[in-house]
Amino acid sequence: MTDNNKLSLTTRIMIAMFLGIFVGRVFQAILGGEPEFLIPLGLFDLPLRSFFVDGFFHVGGQIFIASLKMLVVPLVFISLVCGTCSLSDPKKLGRLGGKSILLYLTTTAIAITVAISLALLVSPGAGVEMTTTASFDAKEAPTLAQVIIGMFPTNPIDAMASGNMLQVIVFALLFGIAMALSGEAGKRVAVIFDDLNTVVLKLVTLLMNLAPYGVFCLMAKLFTDIEMGLIQELGKYFLVVVAALFFHALVNYSVLLKVLTGLSPITFLAKMKDACMFAFSTSSSSATMPVTLETATKKLGANNTVASFTVPLGATINMDGTAIMQGVATVFIAQVFAVDLTLSDYLMVILTATLASVGTAGVPGVGLIMLAMVLNQVGLPVEGIAIIMGVDRLLDMTRTAVNVTGDCMVTCVVAKSEKELNLDVFNDPNAAKDLEENLSTSKSS
C-alpha cells in the first residue's frame, strides 16, 4: 500500500498500459499465428493462450469493465436526481439541455468537416487495391422520431436494468423535478439521495484502485490478438484518422473553450489525462463515465447540477470521435471503389452524421450503424466497412478518449455560462490531483 501511494494513479495506469502492450506483443510473437503454444512445466504443459490470453487477461479485463459499468446507472440516476432537485430555477433545466445539445451537435459537425478535409488532402484510399472476405450486415437505424419516443420509459426499472441511458436520464430529470415541487416530503427524500450520492462516489474511488490491473489485462489481450499487418496495409487511413482525432481534441476543443469561456486550454487538457487514459483503455464512454464525472466536478470545478446532466448526455449523444472516423472512412471507401463524390455529397455526409449522432443515440454498435447510414446516403457500397473493421478496435480507443474530452469541454462551457464553474478549482493544478486525494481518503476510512 505504501508503494502504491508513492506513484500517482496516472503513473500506475501508464506503466500498466505500456507493460500490457509489451506483454501482448511478446505473446503474439510467441504464438506466431498458431492457435496455441504449450509451456512445458514438467508434470504438465501450460497452454499460453487458453490460460493467459483467453483466461487470466480476458477475465481480469472484463471484471474491470464490468465494475465500471456497474456504477454507471446508479451514479447517473442518483447524481442527476440530486442536481435536478436542487435547481432553484426550473427554466435552468431547459437552458442546460438546449446549450448542451447545441454544443454537442456543433462539435460533431466541426469534427466530421475536419476529417473530410484532411482525408481529401491526404487521399488515404488512392491507389489502394484491397479485397476482403469479411462482410458487414448493415442494421437499420431508428428514425429521430423513434428515438424521441423511446426516450420516455414505460418501465423505469427495466430502463435501468437494460442500461438505456436516455430513458434513465429522462426519468431522473422528472423524478428530480417532482422532488423539488414536493415541499417537505421532497426535502426528506433529497437528504437520502445526497447520502446515496456520497456512498456511490466513495465506491467509484474504491474501484479506481483496480484500474492499473484492469488496464494491463485489457492491453495485453488486445495486443496479443490485434493484427498489426492490417495496420500497415491501412497505414494511410489509420494515420489520417489518428491525426484528425488529435487535431480535434487539441486544437478545436481548445479554440472553442478559449473563445466561449476564456479559460486556459492548457489547464483543461492537463486535467483530462486520467479520464482520457480510462477512455482509451476501456473504449467506452459509458464505462468511463464515473471518472469523467469525477474529473468534471473535482478537477475542472463544474457544479454537480451541470455535470450530472451534461456528462451522461454527452456519453450518449456526443459522437465526435465516431464522426471523424466516418468522415475519413467515407473518403477512403470512395477512393478505394473509385467513386467520385461531389461537394453536395460531402455536405450531405456532414449533415447526416451530425443528425445521426442523436438519432442513433444509445444503439449498440452505433459507430458502424452511423457509417452505414452515411455510405447509403451518398451511394457508396456498405461492404466497404468490412475493409476497415480490422483496425477499428484500436481506433475506437482513441475515439473514445476524444469523446470524453468533448464531454468535459462542453460541461465547462455550459457551467461557465450558468455561473456554475468554480474558477479556483479549475485553475488549481493540485485540485484532486490524479484522483489521489479521494483515493487516499477511501483507503484510510
Side-chain angles (χ1 to χ4, degrees), residues 156-364:
I157 306 301
D158 180 64
M160 293 179 187
S162 60
N164 189 321
M165 292 315 300
L166 281 178
Q167 292 188 354
V168 172
I169 290 170
V170 169
F171 180 66
L173 291 174
L174 295 175
F175 195 85
I177 292 170
M179 282 172 57
L181 299 175
S182 297
E184 290 301 318
K187 290 178 182 178
R188 289 195 296 271
V189 177
V191 171
I192 297 173
F193 270 86
D194 284 336
D195 289 343
L196 286 171
N197 195 42
T198 302
V199 173
V200 171
L201 289 176
K202 180 65 70 175
L203 182 57
V204 170
T205 56
L206 285 170
L207 289 176
M208 289 304 104
N209 291 293
L210 290 174
Y213 310 105
V215 168
F216 169 78
C217 291
L218 288 169
M219 293 296 104
K221 185 176 190 315
L222 174 64
F223 279 86
T224 300
D225 293 334
I226 198 167
E227 296 182 45
M228 302 304 288
L230 277 176
I231 297 178
Q232 294 174 353
E233 288 183 46
L234 297 168
K236 249 186 173 181
Y237 166 78
F238 186 88
L239 290 175
V240 171
V241 174
V242 170
L245 288 168
F246 273 92
F247 183 87
H248 188 62
L250 300 178
V251 178
N252 291 342
Y253 286 152
S254 296
V255 171
L256 285 170
L257 184 71
K258 188 67 177 177
V259 170
L260 296 176
T261 66
L263 298 171
S264 168
I266 295 175
T267 301
F268 169 77
L269 292 172
K271 293 191 173 190
M272 285 303 302
K273 57 187 178 183
D274 287 325
C276 285
M277 277 192 291
F278 270 89
F280 183 82
S281 58
T282 62
S283 297
S284 169
S285 295
S286 294
T288 312
M289 201 186 302
V291 184
T292 311
L293 266 172
E294 185 86 0
T295 300
T297 54
K298 300 290 174 61
K299 300 178 77 172
L300 297 172
N303 194 297
N304 188 59
T305 57
V306 175
S308 62
F309 179 82
T310 57
V311 170
L313 184 66
T316 308
I317 72 169
N318 179 25
M319 305 286 181
D320 289 3
T322 303
I324 285 171
M325 177 272 288
Q326 291 165 358
V328 178
T330 300
V331 175
F332 175 78
I333 292 170
Q335 291 173 347
V336 167
F337 288 95
V339 177
D340 290 326
L341 297 180
T342 63
L343 178 60
S344 61
D345 289 330
Y346 288 119
L347 291 174
M348 184 58 67
V349 169
I350 294 170
L351 181 62
T352 303
T354 302
L355 295 178
S357 65
V358 176
T360 53
V363 179

Side-chain angles (χ1 to χ4, degrees), residues 9-24:
L9 180 64
T10 304
T11 304
R12 281 182 276 147
I13 292 175
M14 287 289 287
I15 292 172
M17 186 180 294
F18 286 114
L19 190 59
I21 292 172
F22 174 75
V23 170

Side-chain angles (χ1 to χ4, degrees), residues 92-108 305-315 317-318 320 357-358 406-407 409-415 417-418:
K92 186 174 181 178
L93 191 59
R95 292 202 308 271
L96 288 179
K99 290 177 183 177
S100 302
I101 293 173
L102 180 61
L103 280 168
Y104 283 133
L105 290 178
T106 301
T107 58
T108 300
T305 57
V306 175
S308 62
F309 179 82
T310 57
V311 170
L313 184 66
I317 72 169
N318 179 25
D320 289 3
S357 65
V358 176
D407 295 344
M409 188 279 292
V410 168
T411 299
C412 286
V413 172
V414 174
S417 69
E418 293 290 329

Side-chain angles (χ1 to χ4, degrees), residues 31-60:
L31 289 167
E34 296 297 321
E36 192 55 275
F37 178 87
L38 299 177
I39 304 173
L41 294 178
L43 295 177
F44 63 95
D45 294 334
L46 184 68
L48 184 71
R49 173 174 288 280
S50 300
F51 183 81
F52 286 103
V53 182
D54 298 331
F56 182 76
F57 295 155
H58 177 69
V59 171

